[in-house]
Amino acid sequence: DAAASVVAEAARLLRDGNREDALVAASGRVLELVSDKNNAANLNAKAFASSVETHRAHYGPLLTFETLEVRSADVARDGVRATVRTGLRNAKASPLGTAVWTLSLDDRRGWLIDAVLVQPETEAAMLSEEAAPPPPPPKKKKKQKAPEREPVARPNPLAAEGAASFGALTSPRWVAKTVLSALRNIDEPEANHGCGVALAFVSKDNPAHKLTPELFRTYIDDESYPYGVLKRWLEMNPEAVTFDDDKRKASHDVTLVDVDGSERLVTIDLSKSEDAGPWLIDRFWCEEAY
């Protein structure tokens, strides 16, 4: 499979560049395999290598693996998008982690990488072993009318149970507003709560669906990526939602006004797996708005 071959080549370049202490040179070759949609497309080799070093704890499996196993390589119906899931193992065949790659097909350059998200095995183990703290004992309070709030101001207990809110069932615009508002108040009512809300609305086609809120936060805080505006925007200007013929896919552009008055265009692609299913985010990226 051509998409899987591109993934294997990019992974090999990163690993060998790390082994040979030539990560900058390897990064230059990796950047030849990324699409214009990839947030690294505007970086030079040195800046890309620096970002990898900064997130070495996260990218570690891609820098140290011995064998790469392609677990699945799925091409979308339109023939121009693909998702490749890979497992990474060390020399003793022990699992190091997983990497999920999204790619798009360029007429001239072939398959190119839009994004890659890595989940080290230790993080997966921590997720499965971590027990939720017991709820605090209820406090007796006088009944009073709760104030009106935006949907994002509350945790979403339905998402944790696999159900969906009415807004997510009916409106891509509602999902976009919910996620963007949650990220704007990213640490309310607790640290990384906004990241958890956002992850509740991503589809399994989105590589972020395997991330923890803490790991998702590292991408937002990384200044080499354009996501910082998501936690500090002052004004949201949504455009009309466009749908495909089957009303199963939607695209929504939102312009965010940053604290310095500059604008960022956020594009959110959503889909639903069935007519009665919820709208979930397949892809989410920011770019300069001109």
Side-chain angles (χ1 to χ4, degrees), residues 12-287:
R12 183 191 65 78
L13 286 169
L14 286 173
R15 180 198 63 186
D16 292 352
N18 180 64
R19 285 179 177 178
E20 299 165 9
D21 197 24
L23 194 54
V24 174
S27 296
R29 296 177 64 188
V30 170
L31 289 174
E32 296 175 1
L33 302 176
V34 306
S35 73
D36 292 337
K37 299 174 184 176
N38 194 307
N39 291 312
N42 294 322
L43 300 180
N44 58 33
K46 186 175 181 180
F48 180 78
S50 176
S51 179
V52 173
E53 288 285 2
T54 300
H55 296 91
R56 178 170 284 272
H58 170 55
Y59 285 109
L62 277 177
L63 303 176
T64 59
F65 76 93
E66 187 65 29
T67 59
L68 180 145
E69 171 195 4
V70 176
R71 294 177 177 170
S72 65
D74 303 314
V75 178
R77 290 183 179 179
D78 58 17
V80 297
R81 293 176 294 120
T83 302
V84 178
R85 293 174 172 82
T86 58
L88 304 166
R89 295 180 179 272
N90 62 18
K92 296 182 179 179
S94 299
L96 292 174
T98 59
V100 182
W101 314 69
T102 55
L103 304 94
S104 55
L105 187 62
D106 182 88
D107 291 337
R108 296 183 299 103
R109 300 166 62 196
W111 286 106
L112 298 173
I113 299 167
D114 293 337
V116 57
L117 293 174
V118 183
Q119 184 177 32
E121 190 68 19
T122 52
E123 291 176 3
M126 288 173 63
L127 279 175
S128 62
E129 293 173 3
E130 186 179 30
K139 295 181 180 179
K140 293 183 178 180
K141 293 183 178 180
K142 293 182 179 180
K143 292 184 179 180
Q144 56 184 10
K145 187 177 180 180
E148 287 287 331
R149 292 185 178 182
E150 286 286 327
V152 297
R154 306 185 186 99
N156 185 358
L158 295 179
E161 298 173 6
S165 63
F166 180 74
L169 291 172
T170 58
S171 172
R173 183 187 291 269
W174 187 94
V175 173
K177 180 181 178 183
T178 298
V179 169
L180 290 172
S181 297
L183 293 174
R184 172 64 180 82
N185 301 285
I186 198 165
D187 289 323
E188 297 177 11
E190 58 188 10
N192 298 320
H193 174 74
C195 295
V197 172
L199 291 173
F201 290 100
V202 302
S203 73
K204 290 188 177 180
D205 289 332
N206 190 320
H209 84 278
K210 290 189 175 182
L211 294 182
T212 63
E214 293 75 19
L215 189 53
F216 184 63
R217 177 66 176 268
T218 66
Y219 287 93
I220 295 177
D221 289 342
D222 187 345
E223 291 300 322
S224 64
Y225 292 98
Y227 296 129
V229 66
L230 298 176
K231 61 181 181 180
R232 61 175 186 260
W233 57 269
L234 300 179
E235 183 179 342
M236 178 196 306
N237 298 312
E239 298 181 16
V241 179
T242 59
F243 296 88
D244 70 346
D245 293 339
D246 297 327
K247 301 292 184 181
R248 290 286 189 86
K249 292 183 180 295
S251 183
H252 187 31
D253 287 346
V254 180
T255 300
L256 299 180
V257 180
D258 209 340
V259 290
D260 61 358
S262 63
E263 296 181 336
R264 289 280 187 176
L265 180 64
V266 177
T267 299
I268 304 172
D269 289 343
L270 309 95
S271 65
K272 56 181 180 177
S273 58
E274 54 189 40
D275 290 336
W279 286 100
L280 298 174
I281 298 172
D282 295 330
R283 185 173 297 174
F284 187 114
W285 70 89
C286 304
E287 58 186 354

